[in-house]
Amino acid sequence: MSVSTYTVTGMTCGHCVGTVTSEIGKVAGVTGVEVELATGKVTVTSDGPLDEALVRDAVEEAGYEVAAN
Ligand SMILES: [Cu+2]
């Protein structure tokens, strides 16, 4: 199992959180997504190393941005 964290910008409410959660949840290998609205912190659990580009794409697909860490 591997855990990675991202900072997502542009989320303003629970609906945004739901959209980001569901889009990242579709990425291959992802087993869990936790989004903290106040900080934009997104914790992704996966069953193997995750392709960061796919997570980034998923977040952009949802209409938000991954901040550079
Ligand atoms: Cu919203």
Side-chain angles (χ1 to χ4, degrees):
M1 191 183 91
S2 100
V3 178
S4 49
T5 58
Y6 304 88
T7 302
V8 172
T9 59
M11 296 185 294
T12 55
C13 70
H15 180 257
C16 300
V17 169
T19 308
V20 168
T21 302
S22 97
E23 283 299 326
I24 296 177
K26 290 179 197 164
V27 174
V30 169
T31 54
V33 184
E34 244 179 80
V35 178
E36 215 176 83
L37 177 60
T39 58
K41 189 180 171 210
V42 177
T43 306
V44 181
T45 312
S46 53
D47 54 16
L50 202 55
D51 187 345
E52 190 174 319
L54 293 180
V55 174
R56 196 172 284 268
D57 284 352
V59 168
E60 282 170 9
E61 183 73 22
Y64 308 95
E65 297 272 349
V66 176
N69 283 320

